[in-house]
């Protein structure tokens, strides 16, 4: 993604592009997998945790990132690949490896539909499978 694309990505989500916001979008786009605030901090170096957290919270409000809880109190963030600014249409299953602590996007696995009781309306389904990834199993 070019710098121009990052700017228009922010603008299309109603977010004013600032240096920090552009930097974080660029980093998320290049990493291609969900990362924690700590991992972002490590790869950015110029930004502290609270600035990163503020930007991510803003992104989430504008549906520019998804957040995924790994179940160990760590939240990971990834760029939303949906072009819609209202709601997400790029739901997918995540796999959390308990050995290498990577969170992997499984785009080819269908998201199971969980039936909800009458009178409820499901807006979003988060599926996280925990286990050992292929890379770790081969070691
Ligand atoms: Zn692993
Ligand atoms: Zn993902």
């Amino acid at each position: 993604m070019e710098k121009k694309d990052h700017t228009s990505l922010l603008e299309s989500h109603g977010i004013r592009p600032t240096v920090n916001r552009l930097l974080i979008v660029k980093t998320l786009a290049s990493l291609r997998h969900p990362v924690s605030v700590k991992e972002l901090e490590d790869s950015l170096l110029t930004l502290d945790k609270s600035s990163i957290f503020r930007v991510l919270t803003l992104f989430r409000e504008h549906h520019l990132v998804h957040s995924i809880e790994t179940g160990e109190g760590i939240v990971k963030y990834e760029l939303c690949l949906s072009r819609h600014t209202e709601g997400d249409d790029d739901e997918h299953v995540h796999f959390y490896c308990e050995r290498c602590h990577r969170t992997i996007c499984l785009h080819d696995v269908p998201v199971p539909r969980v039936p909800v009781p009458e009178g409820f309306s499901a807006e979003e389904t988060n599926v996280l499978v925990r286990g050992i990834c292929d890379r770790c199993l081969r070691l």
Side-chain angles (χ1 to χ4, degrees):
M1 245 195 269
E2 299 296 320
K3 185 163 185 290
K4 198 167 94 262
D5 299 327
H6 296 136
T7 306
S8 68
L9 185 64
L10 286 176
E11 284 170 346
S12 71
H13 283 78
I15 303 166
R16 199 169 48 85
T18 64
V19 174
N20 286 359
R21 292 168 187 171
L22 283 168
L23 191 61
I24 290 179
V25 162
K26 196 177 125 205
T27 309
L28 286 173
S30 68
L31 290 171
R32 295 168 176 279
H33 62 91
V35 285
S36 63
V37 172
K38 171 93 178 59
E39 287 171 283
L40 270 178
E41 191 188 24
D42 290 345
S43 54
L44 288 167
L45 299 169
T46 51
L47 282 175
D48 64 28
K49 258 201 193 98
S50 60
S51 313
I52 295 171
F53 188 73
R54 264 203 310 276
V55 172
L56 289 172
T57 304
L58 177 81
F59 284 2
R60 201 173 50 181
E61 284 164 7
H62 289 261
H63 297 282
L64 182 59
V65 294
H66 296 300
S67 59
I68 303 130
E69 303 219 11
T70 62
E72 289 174 350
I74 295 168
V75 180
K76 299 211 178 187
Y77 298 86
E78 70 179 349
L79 266 195
C80 176
L81 300 174
S82 136
R83 296 287 119 181
H84 297 270
T85 52
E86 301 296 322
D88 306 326
D89 65 0
D90 72 335
E91 272 180 14
H92 51 271
V93 174
H94 286 106
F95 189 94
Y96 178 72
C97 176
E98 307 204 305
R99 217 168 272 175
C100 65
H101 306 287
R102 284 191 305 151
T103 305
I104 301 142
C105 302
L106 305 180
H107 290 287
D108 298 330
V109 176
V111 179
R113 288 291 144 215
V114 181
V116 293
E118 229 190 290
F120 289 71
S121 161
E123 302 277 320
E124 186 188 328
T125 308
N126 282 310
V127 181
L128 179 80
V129 182
R130 303 167 68 90
I132 314 289
C133 74
D134 56 348
R135 217 154 78 182
C136 290
L137 271 182
R138 261 186 270 119
L139 293 177

